[in-house]
Amino acid sequence: MSNVKTSFLTDIIMFISSYFPLFLILAIKDININNNGEIIKSSLSINGFFELFKHPYLSIGLLIFSIISIFILISFKTYIFSGKSTSNVIYIKKIDIVKSDMINYTLPFLIGLIGLDYSSTVNQLVLFVFLSFMFLILRKQGVLFFNPMLLLLNMGHARITYENVGTNSGSFSCDVIGSRLSLESKSALKNSVANITKINGISILQD
């Protein structure tokens, strides 16, 4: 049996957080530069800060959205590994650490370096179409865990086959995230017992 369904909101958070590098690059490219090549000075007020960018609503809005998503991931990780969350004891029959192709990590950087910016309505539309199709494709393939921000948080991604301890419900398979060290140590063992927590469809293997 398979249990890999995540909630739509969870998928949005995972997706947007992974594109933080792209939104940061686009925000930098959108900074107002005068004819002498100098950054236009702005005051410390909110209006002055908005004047720092040519398209402030897009630059600041998308950047803040992605930063909030990262903080949600950090809070999520902190809560899960604080020991306060409820978990089930499972018997891991098989665990395979998923090694993502580097393109999954470099794509957010590359897109911002090939001439894409907020300078025109066409570019903005292209960005919207690109992100929409990427989200739908990645969600369909179930690979939203290929997230460079998870890597920076020292989190890993694995696929496991397991049984619930104390029940006769059969075997299940799912994608999990967990600390990289914990996943690597468990993958070195043929069989192991672990705690698993599920929130909004995400399975987290606890240390």
Side-chain angles (χ1 to χ4, degrees):
M1 297 179 65
S2 178
N3 185 15
V4 298
K5 186 66 175 177
T6 54
S7 70
F8 185 78
L9 179 59
T10 298
D11 290 342
I12 287 288
I13 292 173
M14 293 291 289
F15 180 76
I16 293 298
S17 64
S18 70
Y19 277 84
F20 166 73
L22 170 62
F23 298 136
L24 178 59
I25 291 173
L26 293 178
I28 293 173
K29 294 175 69 173
D30 198 52
I31 292 177
N32 257 321
I33 305 294
N34 62 24
N35 293 332
N36 296 322
E38 299 174 344
I39 296 177
I40 294 178
K41 295 182 179 180
S42 60
S43 68
L44 296 178
S45 66
I46 295 179
N47 289 335
F49 180 69
F50 270 70
E51 292 174 358
L52 182 62
F53 300 94
K54 301 172 185 175
H55 307 86
Y57 293 105
L58 279 174
S59 295
I60 299 174
L62 290 175
L63 185 60
I64 289 179
F65 191 16
S66 63
I67 291 174
I68 291 174
S69 297
I70 292 174
F71 274 106
I72 290 175
L73 288 183
I74 294 173
S75 300
F76 180 78
K77 174 187 175 184
T78 301
Y79 174 75
I80 291 302
F81 295 105
S82 66
K84 298 178 181 179
S85 57
T86 58
S87 60
N88 296 325
V89 181
I90 63 171
Y91 177 69
I92 299 177
K93 301 173 64 177
K94 182 181 180 182
I95 179 169
D96 296 312
I97 296 179
V98 178
K99 300 292 186 181
S100 176
D101 193 315
M102 279 304 296
I103 191 63
N104 292 294
Y105 295 114
T106 57
L107 185 59
F109 297 93
L110 293 176
I111 296 302
L113 297 175
I114 60 175
L116 185 64
D117 52 35
Y118 301 130
S119 61
S120 69
T121 302
V122 171
N123 275 358
Q124 295 168 17
L125 183 60
V126 166
L127 178 63
F128 174 77
V129 171
F130 167 76
L131 292 177
S132 297
F133 272 93
M134 285 300 299
F135 174 73
L136 293 175
I137 292 171
L138 293 177
R139 190 168 193 258
K140 187 72 173 180
Q141 292 182 333
V143 293
L144 287 169
F145 288 127
F146 292 158
N147 186 331
M149 298 300 106
L150 285 178
L151 183 66
L152 292 178
L153 292 174
N154 202 31
M155 302 285 284
H157 170 211
R159 293 191 178 102
I160 66 171
T161 301
Y162 70 94
E163 294 179 353
N164 290 311
V165 173
T167 68
N168 296 317
S169 56
S171 297
F172 298 86
S173 64
C174 69
D175 284 31
V176 298
I177 58 174
S179 69
R180 294 176 64 195
L181 182 61
S182 177
L183 292 177
E184 289 172 359
S185 63
K186 286 179 172 59
S187 66
L189 303 173
K190 290 185 177 180
N191 301 294
S192 62
V193 176
N195 292 324
I196 190 170
T197 299
K198 296 183 181 180
I199 293 182
N200 292 331
I202 294 185
S203 299
I204 302 94
L205 206 62
Q206 294 179 297
D207 293 330

